[in-house]
């Protein structure tokens, strides 16, 4: 009986005076407050998909968002600052003790307000024990239509031994599943959703949603099967004159649709009446079974009077005749019987009728008759064959083609079909777990009640198989609809005292099971929809004000109608068998995974389980699926796979602590350990990239194209770590680090990048970058390449930190034997949605540092952005090199590497150092000297930097204009011996004089090492500009910084000159190992 109570806040003893005053004038706290649920405006509009998730994410049942202090005394003052986030143990235990899990939607919640306006909540206290709450519901769901309408036919067709094998396989399957389910159900509270909740929280939202929908479809088609069974009983046994069509399937469709609409109306109007009538329906089932056993016992005392008529060895329908004879004596006159008139027309009788005699056998020979020997083995046959007694003599005759009163097989029969038809009779084992909220002690009642129900029903099924085979004649057993026994159910003629006990009992049993299916399936769908894991189902999470799932009921009725339109109970049964078997398969898998993972939270109170039993149950479920119908099994698996992938890519992200995540963690740990056991081979090398990403002042990614380029380079393969560094301390900038990490993840999702993000806080950027280069990754999954953007603003910076950070990063990647990729003008790189229709990727191979320079263009060309770009490889030949042979060797090398590229050898001779080179070197050293003079004020430094920049621009323009017409073309594609000698003599004659007359006073004191480096950068830049000015991307070997750190200030200048005039440049510095091989 509902108990109305009001919850009021209770203060501590020391605050009793104030609390008493407050209690009189304050409103009592609502039940939602006690369980930590804020009654805001959004919640007033109905339940939301994420409501349950918030409660599930906590380690206990609920959380409390109320920030009021639980305790204001002095005894626990040491913990007073933590009271807001960590409640006292007494408060936590009080909430756990008062926790109540309301029913799964079948109870209507009634609310009312009293005169004072205090809201009272009616809460049903769980009162049901094991027998009422679990055992009887499972018995009602397991025993049903198949037992009364098909079990005798299965025994007659498959034989006692074959049926015993079918029943044993199915019962063992459900028993093993019940053991696994008991372990899961006793590992904590099972809220709304029953089996769906168990699977989803154990295997994750993808498996849970897919299997939950399969279970929903199975329950819905079960409703179709029960309705078809109801109509079959109604039209065959109760009102045989009601059919409107000759075709049985059409009658089933019409009457089944009407019955479905009537049942849906009952469920919609008052579901509570369905629950109250459930005991009546269960009583009908129990009375029918007891009548059957009573009939078996009665055969030992007195045999039933029902007989079956055989013509030859063929069974006959006896609904249109009473005498099994060709003639009979009426007033001492021999006259033809009604049976003879069925076979004879115009004094011409059927040949088979003339050649064979009529025999009358007892339909129920009884336990002591020895008929069990004849029924041991099966008798399968195609559709349309006569039901015959093989041991009876028969003379064969030509079929006349007339419609005669024989009993036929309506469908082709074989062993696997019978498995699919029988399996629905053992489903229903989830009924107890679905009612966990109504149980006094769910963790004790569910295992005991479910397993006892399975053992009881298994005994009933096996005993019925043996008793049917031992009591009933074989031709009667194979008569599915009882046409040979006056159109009575075969089990009905065995029952005592009347066949109507079975007819009425089975009719109400099917009606009750159909109503239960139409009641449970919508609520299961509502539970899935409210979880929010399948977006297109969210509309079905809404319902009436009292929680009734109206929209889910409409969808259930529509799907149920599909099953009814099939029009055959035998055709619908294998379909729902597939969905139930798939559900049971994943229950076993969930238990096995959790057991093998040995997660700390896996502590079931039910201890009689083992992972081998779960795997055996899973294997048996899979075998039964393919035994029943291999094509239905494939269809069910395809449906589940499609749902899985849909939830994975479009569904909401949920973290339920599921076993698949734990399995992934174990697999990752095992793989990481294996990766470290053996060094990586060159054939398995791929760029594992650490992306050093910069965040702006709003903690947003400054260069998102850096992520785009990483995606194009990786194509979703290998390891990618996107990281950033914030200056400061973690205590002060911890929230900024979380925000930055969130923004990094959002930018990665926008670029469809698969990888990891990491934001660290360090006292300075240099230390942060160093930590990332050293420690990013784990075990064998560490990065081997670093990607960063070129620091474009380093020349305008007021300090040298950007330059120092970049150079130190170069040095540290070299010391760590990691490759370094530096992208210039990264914002000009194409995005993932761009498509380069033509162009080239030019590789300037100056030095060999592992082959990364040639591997990267190939990886880029695999992406659709760069797919139409061709690869060109340039290499530089010196005066003493044979350029023609170099080109041939390089082409052969690329052929062995399986790379398609155009090869070109560029020859550079030793030319004199131009005035432009001296001028560039002078400007560089002056800038470096300027930055060293720290005593200059900021204004003076800015003025001097601008002055140097203006002088550099003017000098560069004058020198370019002067050299434009006078400087000869220094680049030649092919050297000859004569040309080499002439060039050497020419430069020996003019160099000394030219250098003397062009020498300015400022040049005398320049560092000659810097002059030579600048000369190399200028000349190489000229050649690259000439060949690759129009290329889509230029890849260059990146020279390393000087070993002497005194030259760091000039290193950036050399790189700037090297890349001057080029739009998209990727500087590459190898990690010191070979990354490409010619071997397979």
């Amino acid at each position: 009986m509902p108990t109305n109570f009001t919850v009021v806040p209770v203060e501590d003893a020391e605050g009793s005076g104030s609390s008493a005053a407050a209690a009189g004038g304050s409103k009592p706290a609502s039940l939602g407050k006690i369980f930590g649920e804020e009654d805001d405006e959004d919640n007033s509009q109905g339940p939301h998909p994420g409501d349950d998730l918030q409660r599930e994410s906590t380690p206990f049942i609920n959380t409390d968002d109320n920030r009021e202090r639980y305790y204001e005394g002095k005894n626990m003052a040491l913990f007073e600052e933590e009271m807001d986030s960590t409640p006292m143990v007494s408060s936590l235990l009080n909430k756990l003790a008062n926790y109540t899990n309301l029913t799964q939607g079948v109870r209507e919640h009634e609310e009312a307000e009293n005169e004072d306006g205090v809201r009272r909540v009616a809460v049903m206290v769980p009162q049901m024990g094991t027998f009422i709450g679990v055992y009887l519901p499972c018995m009602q769901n397991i025993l049903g239509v198949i037992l009364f309408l098909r079990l005798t036919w299965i025994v007659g067709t498959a034989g006692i031994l074959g049926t015993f094998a079918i029943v044993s396989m199915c019962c063992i399957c459900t028993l093993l599943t019940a053991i696994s389910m008991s372990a899961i159900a006793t590992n904590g509270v099972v809220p709304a959703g029953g089996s769906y909740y168990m699977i989803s929280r154990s295997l994750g939202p993808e498996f849970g949603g897919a299997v939950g929908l399969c279970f929903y479809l199975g329950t819905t088609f079960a409703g179709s099967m029960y309705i078809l069974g109801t109509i079959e009983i109604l039209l065959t046994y109760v009102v045989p004159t009601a059919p409107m069509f000759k075709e049985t399937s059409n009658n089933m469709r019409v009457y089944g649709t009407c019955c479905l609409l009537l049942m849906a109306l009952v469920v919609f109007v008052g579901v509570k009446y369905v629950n109250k009538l459930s005991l009546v329906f269960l009583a009908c089932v129990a009375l029918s079974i007891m009548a059957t056993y009573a009939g078996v016992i009665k055969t030992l005392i007195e045999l039933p009077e029902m007989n079956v008529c055989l013509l030859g060895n063929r069974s006959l329908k006896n609904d249109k005749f009473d005498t099994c004879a060709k003639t009979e004596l009426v007033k001492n006159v021999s006259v033809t019987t009604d049976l003879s008139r069925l076979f004879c027309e115009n004094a011409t009788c059927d040949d088979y009728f003339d050649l064979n005699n009529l025999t009358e056998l007892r339909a129920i020979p009884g336990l002591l008759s020895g008929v069990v020997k004849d029924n041991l083995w099966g008798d399968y046959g195609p559709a349309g064959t006569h039901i015959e007694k093989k041991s009876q003599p028969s003379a064969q005759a030509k079929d006349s083609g007339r419609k005669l009163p024989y009993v036929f097989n309506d469908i082709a029969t074989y062993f696997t079909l019978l498995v699919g038809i029988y399996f629905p009779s053992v489903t229903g084992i989830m009924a107890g777990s679905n009612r966990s909220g109504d149980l006094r002690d769910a963790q004790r009642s569910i295992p005991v009640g479910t397993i006892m129900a399975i053992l009881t029903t298994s005994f009933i099924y096996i005993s019925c198989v043996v008793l049917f085979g031992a009591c009933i004649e074989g031709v009667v057993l194979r008569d599915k609809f009882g046409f040979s026994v006056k159109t009575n159910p075969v089990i009905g003629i065995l029952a005592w005292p009347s066949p109507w006990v079975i007819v009425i009992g089975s009719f109400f049993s099917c009606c009750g099971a159909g109503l239960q299916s139409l009641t449970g399936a919508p609520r299961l769908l509502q539970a899935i929809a409210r979880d929010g894991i399948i977006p297109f189902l969210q509309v079905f999470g809404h319902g009436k004000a009292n929680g009734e799932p109206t929209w889910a009921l409409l969808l259930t009725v529509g799907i149920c109608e599909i099953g009814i339109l099939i029009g055959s109970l035998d055709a619908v049964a294998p379909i729902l068998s597939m969905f139930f078997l798939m559900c049971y398969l994943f229950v076993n898998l969930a238990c096995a995974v959790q057991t093998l993972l040995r997660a700390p939270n896996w502590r079931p109170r039910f201890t009689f389980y083992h992972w081998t039993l779960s795997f055996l149950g899973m294997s048996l479920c899979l075998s039964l699926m393919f035994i029943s119908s291999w094509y239905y099994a494939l269809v069910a698996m395809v449906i589940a796979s499609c749902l899985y992938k849909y939830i994975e890519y479009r569904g909401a992200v949920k973290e339920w602590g599921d076993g698949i995540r734990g399995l992934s963690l174990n697999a990752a740990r095992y793989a990481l350990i294996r990766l470290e056991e053996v060094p990586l081979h060159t054939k398995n090398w791929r760029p594992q990239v650490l992306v050093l990403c910069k965040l702006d002042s709003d903690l947003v990614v400054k260069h998102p194209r850096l992520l785009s380029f990483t995606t194009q380079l990786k194509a979703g393969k290998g390891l990618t770590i996107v990281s950033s560094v914030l200056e400061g301390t973690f205590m002060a900038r911890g929230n900024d680090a979380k925000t930055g990490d969130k923004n990094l993840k959002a930018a990665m999702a926008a670029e469809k990048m698969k990888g990891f993000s990491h934001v660290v806080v360090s006292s300075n950027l240099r230390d942060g970058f160093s930590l990332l280069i050293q420690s990013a990754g784990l075990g064998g999954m560490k990065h081997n390449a670093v990607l960063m953007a070129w620091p474009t603003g380093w020349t305008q910076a007021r300090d040298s930190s950007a330059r120092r950070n970049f150079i130190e990063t170069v040095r540290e990647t070299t010391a760590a034997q990691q490759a370094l990729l530096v992208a210039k003008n990264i914002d000009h790189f194409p995005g993932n949605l761009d498509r380069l229709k033509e162009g080239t990727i030019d590789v300037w191979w100056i030095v060999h540092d592992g082959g990364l320079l040639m591997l990267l263009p190939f990886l880029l060309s695999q992406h659709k952005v760069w797919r139409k770009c061709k690869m060109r490889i340039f290499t530089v030949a010196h005066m003493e090199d044979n350029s023609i042979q170099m080109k041939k060797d390089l082409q052969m090398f690329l052929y062995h590497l399986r790379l398609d590229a155009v090869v070109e050898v560029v020859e550079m001779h030793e030319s004199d150092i131009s005035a432009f080179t001296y001028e560039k070197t002078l400007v560089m050293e002056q800038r470096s000297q300027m930055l060293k003079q720290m005593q200059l004020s900021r204004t003076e430094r800015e003025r001097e930097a601008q002055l140097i920049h203006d002088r550099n621009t003017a000098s560069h323009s004058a020198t370019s204009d002067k050299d434009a017409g006078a400087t000869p073309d220094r680049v030649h594609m092919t050297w000859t011996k004569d040309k080499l000698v002439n060039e050497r003599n020419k430069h020996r004659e003019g160099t000394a004089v030219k250098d003397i007359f062009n020498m300015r006073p400022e040049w005398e004191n320049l560092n000659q090492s810097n002059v030579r480096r600048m000369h190399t950068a200028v000349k190489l830049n000229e050649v690259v500009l000439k060949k690759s000015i129009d290329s889509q991307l230029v890849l260059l070997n990146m020279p390393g910084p000087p070993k002497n750190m005194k030259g760091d200030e000039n290193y950036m200048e050399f790189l700037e000159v090297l890349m001057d005039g080029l739009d998209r440049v990727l500087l590459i510095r190898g990690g010191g190992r070979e990354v490409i091989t010619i071997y397979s």
Side-chain angles (χ1 to χ4, degrees), residues 83-143:
M83 294 296 182
D84 291 342
S85 57
T86 54
M88 294 295 295
V89 173
S90 59
S91 175
L92 175 66
L93 293 177
N94 180 54
K95 288 189 291 183
L96 291 176
N98 292 331
Y99 172 73
T100 176
N101 184 8
L102 300 180
T103 71
Q104 283 71 46
V106 295
R107 183 187 305 126
E108 297 184 359
H109 310 301
E110 299 176 356
E111 296 181 358
E113 292 189 2
N114 62 6
E115 297 176 356
D116 299 332
V118 178
R119 186 182 183 188
R120 297 183 182 272
V121 182
V123 178
M124 296 292 294
V125 180
Q127 293 293 336
M128 289 191 291
T130 303
F131 185 76
I132 298 294
V134 180
Y135 182 77
L136 291 183
C138 287
M139 291 284 292
Q140 180 185 358
N141 281 268
I142 295 173
L143 300 173

Side-chain angles (χ1 to χ4, degrees), residues 847-863:
V847 295
H848 178 66
D849 53 2
L852 183 61
L853 208 65
M854 289 177 287
L855 182 62
L856 292 184
F858 169 76
L859 297 177
L860 284 174
S861 64
Q862 304 302 304
H863 197 273

Side-chain angles (χ1 to χ4, degrees), residues 680-756:
L680 186 69
H681 194 273
T682 302
K683 291 186 288 186
N684 293 325
W685 192 95
R686 62 179 59 190
Q688 319 277 15
V689 182
L690 170 65
V691 184
L692 299 180
C693 200
K694 189 174 182 180
L695 302 179
D696 58 17
S697 58
D698 296 328
L699 301 178
V700 178
V701 177
K702 188 173 183 180
H703 301 294
R705 288 296 171 88
L706 197 63
L707 305 183
S708 304
F709 182 71
T710 307
T711 304
Q712 297 159 19
L713 182 65
K714 301 288 295 178
K717 301 293 190 291
L719 174 70
T720 302
I721 304 175
V722 182
S723 58
S724 187
V725 179
L726 299 180
E727 282 191 288
T729 63
F730 186 74
M731 296 298 295
R733 303 203 64 183
N735 291 332
D736 290 344
K738 294 179 181 178
T739 304
D741 190 66
K742 181 180 179 181
N743 292 338
L744 280 181
K745 285 184 169 66
M748 293 170 66
E751 299 295 338
K752 297 182 179 180
M753 175 190 290
K754 302 293 184 181
F756 309 96

Side-chain angles (χ1 to χ4, degrees), residues 629-906:
S629 175
W630 64 268
Y631 46 89
Y632 279 159
L634 292 178
V635 170
M637 295 174 71
V638 167
I639 292 174
S641 301
C642 293
L643 289 170
Y644 178 93
K645 299 305 292 185
Y646 176 81
I647 296 171
E648 183 180 18
Y649 287 107
R650 297 294 303 275
V653 177
K654 303 286 184 181
E655 175 51 53
W656 288 332
D658 51 89
I660 293 299
R661 187 172 179 82
L663 192 64
S664 301
L665 290 173
N666 273 13
R669 179 184 62 84
Y670 176 78
L672 288 172
I673 293 175
R674 288 293 305 274
L675 282 175
E676 283 202 315
E677 292 177 356
V678 181
L680 186 69
H681 194 273
T682 302
K683 291 186 288 186
N684 293 325
W685 192 95
R686 62 179 59 190
Q688 319 277 15
V689 182
L690 170 65
V691 184
L692 299 180
C693 200
K694 189 174 182 180
L695 302 179
D696 58 17
S697 58
D698 296 328
L699 301 178
V700 178
V701 177
K702 188 173 183 180
H703 301 294
R705 288 296 171 88
L706 197 63
L707 305 183
S708 304
F709 182 71
T710 307
T711 304
Q712 297 159 19
L713 182 65
K714 301 288 295 178
K717 301 293 190 291
L719 174 70
T720 302
I721 304 175
V722 182
S723 58
S724 187
V725 179
L726 299 180
E727 282 191 288
T729 63
F730 186 74
M731 296 298 295
R733 303 203 64 183
N735 291 332
D736 290 344
K738 294 179 181 178
T739 304
D741 190 66
K742 181 180 179 181
N743 292 338
L744 280 181
K745 285 184 169 66
M748 293 170 66
E751 299 295 338
K752 297 182 179 180
M753 175 190 290
K754 302 293 184 181
F756 309 96
S757 62
H758 190 40
V759 177
V760 298
V761 181
S762 179
S763 57
N764 56 73
L765 295 178
R766 175 67 254 121
D767 291 343
F769 290 146
S770 178
L771 287 174
L772 287 172
I773 292 173
Q774 294 177 61
S775 60
L778 180 64
M781 286 296 287
K782 290 183 68 69
H783 62 280
N784 53 29
V786 177
L787 173 62
M788 61 188 301
W790 173 259
T792 52
W794 72 274
T795 54
Q796 285 79 30
R798 295 174 179 176
D799 55 23
S800 59
S801 61
R803 171 176 57 81
R804 290 199 307 270
N805 289 342
F806 178 81
I807 296 175
E808 288 302 315
T809 301
V810 176
R811 283 198 174 100
E812 288 187 359
T813 54
T814 303
Q817 295 184 339
Q818 297 172 4
L820 178 63
L821 314 178
V822 180
K824 179 190 175 185
N825 294 334
I826 186 62
D827 295 328
H828 297 176
F829 277 56
N832 288 331
L833 299 179
D834 298 331
R835 301 291 181 271
L836 301 179
K837 298 181 179 179
E838 58 182 359
T840 59
I841 300 176
D842 289 353
V843 178
W844 286 85
W845 192 20
I846 310 300
V847 295
H848 178 66
D849 53 2
L852 183 61
L853 208 65
M854 289 177 287
L855 182 62
L856 292 184
F858 169 76
L859 297 177
L860 284 174
S861 64
Q862 304 302 304
H863 197 273
K864 50 192 173 184
V865 174
W866 304 90
R867 188 164 295 159
K868 295 185 178 180
C869 294
K870 296 182 179 179
M871 178 178 171
R872 295 193 301 178
I873 295 183
F874 297 91
T875 188
V876 176
H878 300 286
M879 296 177 61
E880 60 273 13
D881 296 328
N882 187 337
S883 57
I884 297 176
Q885 187 62 37
M886 280 182 63
K887 183 174 182 178
K888 291 180 179 179
D889 294 342
L890 182 55
Q891 287 175 338
M892 182 59 65
F893 182 55
L894 292 178
Y895 175 78
H896 287 304
L897 290 176
R898 290 89 65 198
L899 295 176
D900 295 327
V902 177
V903 175
E904 194 168 339
V905 179
V906 177

Side-chain angles (χ1 to χ4, degrees), residues 481-627:
F481 303 104
F483 292 142
S484 61
V485 286
K486 299 292 184 182
T487 315
N488 284 308
V490 175
I491 192 174
I493 63 173
L494 177 64
W496 181 85
S498 170
W500 283 100
V501 176
I502 299 298
V503 172
I504 296 173
S506 60
F507 179 81
F508 283 108
S509 171
C510 292
C511 287
L515 287 171
Q516 291 289 346
S517 297
L518 291 179
T519 302
R523 283 162 179 78
L524 177 59
L525 180 63
Q526 187 181 47
I528 299 172
R530 285 184 173 178
D531 265 344
I533 59 175
I534 305 178
F536 69 84
L537 289 181
Q538 291 194 8
V539 66
F540 300 108
H542 305 287
K544 294 194 293 186
N546 59 8
E548 293 299 319
T550 307
W551 292 105
L553 177 61
L554 291 177
L555 179 64
T556 302
V557 170
I559 298 175
C560 194
E561 176 64 17
I562 296 175
I564 290 174
L565 291 178
I566 295 175
S568 173
L569 187 150
D570 299 325
V572 173
I575 296 176
L576 66 99
S577 295
M578 292 302 111
F579 293 122
F580 278 118
L581 279 167
M582 181 164 289
C583 178
Y584 296 166
L585 184 150
F586 281 98
V587 169
N588 286 292
L589 176 62
C591 180
V593 168
Q594 295 283 19
T595 306
L596 290 175
L597 287 178
R598 298 178 182 176
N601 193 52
W602 179 247
R603 303 184 301 274
R605 289 193 178 275
F606 180 79
T607 57
F608 301 100
Y609 69 93
H610 195 267
W611 66 267
T612 54
L613 296 178
S614 299
F615 268 112
L616 181 60
M618 184 177 63
S619 304
L620 194 55
C621 288
L622 188 63
S623 301
L624 286 174
M625 286 178 67
F626 283 92
I627 288 174

